Amino acid sequence: MSTSHETAPPPAPTRCWSSEPYADALRAGRGPLYLRRTDGWLLHLDVERWCGGPDEADRSVLTRCEGSVLDVGCGPGRLVAALCAGGRDALGIDISTAAIAHTTSLGGRALRRSVFEPLPEEGRWRTALVVDGNIGIGGDPGALLTRLTRVLAPGGLLIAETAPVDVDERADVRLVRDPDARGGSVFPWARLGTPALLRHSRPDWLAVAQWSVGGRCFVALRNRSSSAKPETAKSTAVMSSQRWAKPLPDSPVAPS
């Protein structure tokens, strides 16, 4: 009889961006799609823009990328595909199978993985992208920023998109295509404006640029870490909404 006190974690339900409303919207290439807060407040998600080519605001991000690029929550992959088409070393990660399929169909490299799970080349990426609201992943921006200090190389660049208003919000939300829908799994999310992101980034990050294009706002932060420290055993940074019930592939998916 084993004397170990360790037990396997319970399987987590498929939640968050891997849910059917999101997958259906990506397959169709259009909305409507909303994040619905438990009090009924709605945030419209711009699926058509995500599924299109890079716009002027996206290009302002792409031109600032340095070295190898990791796109966190790459969605349908327009940024990864653009980087790969330009010969850049780029990888998208997302927990949605539909997002990975869309990314690879565009010629991008992508891996079905949460940012809080072990990643290829961890501690050696030169740039991380967190755009399209993905600073809200897991509902704890501080935990995400801490995780990214370990994903990036020392001195690496984080380019994050922020809300165009001064907000620092955490909420339980669900993904819906119908504004009146009540069903679907609830998961934690966050929204940050630029002032809030700068507060959360201290002292591990140095702000190096802020800009706005077409009503979208961005911040570039430099990783102050002097060494890429390995994660301690599954700390609180591993959000329940980002865990997986099944093993994940070890290699990125590339177009055949």
Side-chain angles (χ1 to χ4, degrees), residues 2 6 11 17-19 21 23 31 53 61 75 100 107 164 186 188 220 223:
S2 172
E6 294 182 3
W17 298 108
S18 58
S19 68
V61 169
I100 298 305
V186 174
N223 184 8

Side-chain angles (χ1 to χ4, degrees), residues 34-250:
Y34 306 92
L35 281 180
R36 181 186 176 91
R37 215 162 54 190
T38 52
D39 64 3
W41 181 88
L42 294 170
L43 177 66
H44 176 259
L45 301 176
D46 198 350
V47 178
E48 289 84 357
R49 178 173 62 77
W50 296 351
C51 291
D55 61 14
E56 183 182 3
D58 294 329
R59 289 190 289 273
S60 78
V61 169
L62 295 173
T63 58
R64 286 173 166 85
C65 291
E66 302 172 356
S68 58
V69 182
L70 180 71
D71 187 357
V72 177
C74 66
R78 70 189 188 282
L79 301 184
V80 174
L83 288 164
C84 289
R88 301 291 296 272
D89 178 11
L91 174 69
I93 58 170
D94 203 291
I95 66 171
S96 166
T97 301
I100 298 305
H102 199 287
T103 300
T104 58
S105 74
L106 296 178
R109 294 174 61 243
L111 177 66
R112 185 172 176 260
R113 189 71 57 91
S114 162
V115 66
F116 295 108
E117 295 288 334
L119 297 173
E121 302 299 315
E122 194 160 309
R124 291 189 286 274
W125 294 97
R126 299 303 310 175
T127 302
L129 304 180
V130 183
V131 300
D132 297 332
N134 283 323
I135 194 66
I137 287 174
D140 186 342
L144 179 60
L145 288 168
T146 296
R147 172 64 177 138
L148 290 172
T149 65
R150 300 183 174 104
V151 170
L152 282 171
L157 190 68
L158 169 62
I159 301 177
E161 184 170 357
T162 57
V165 293
D166 187 2
V167 63
D168 188 350
E169 175 187 75
R170 288 144 193 76
D172 290 331
V173 299
R174 55 171 54 91
L175 278 164
V176 297
R177 299 201 74 177
D178 180 351
D180 297 321
R182 302 289 178 180
S185 297
V186 174
F187 57 92
W189 199 251
R191 285 200 311 146
L192 296 184
T194 295
L197 177 59
L198 294 178
R199 287 195 302 271
H200 286 286
S201 68
R202 302 186 188 107
D204 296 328
W205 300 88
L206 174 67
V208 294
Q210 300 176 44
W211 70 98
S212 299
V213 179
R216 295 170 62 195
C217 302
F218 303 92
V219 178
L221 303 168
R222 187 75 65 184
N223 184 8
R224 291 179 182 270
S225 174
S226 60
S227 62
K229 300 175 183 177
E231 293 277 9
T232 55
K234 299 294 180 181
S235 69
T236 55
V238 182
M239 302 300 167
S240 61
S241 64
Q242 295 288 314
R243 294 192 184 109
W244 291 100
K246 297 179 181 179
L248 295 173
D250 291 327

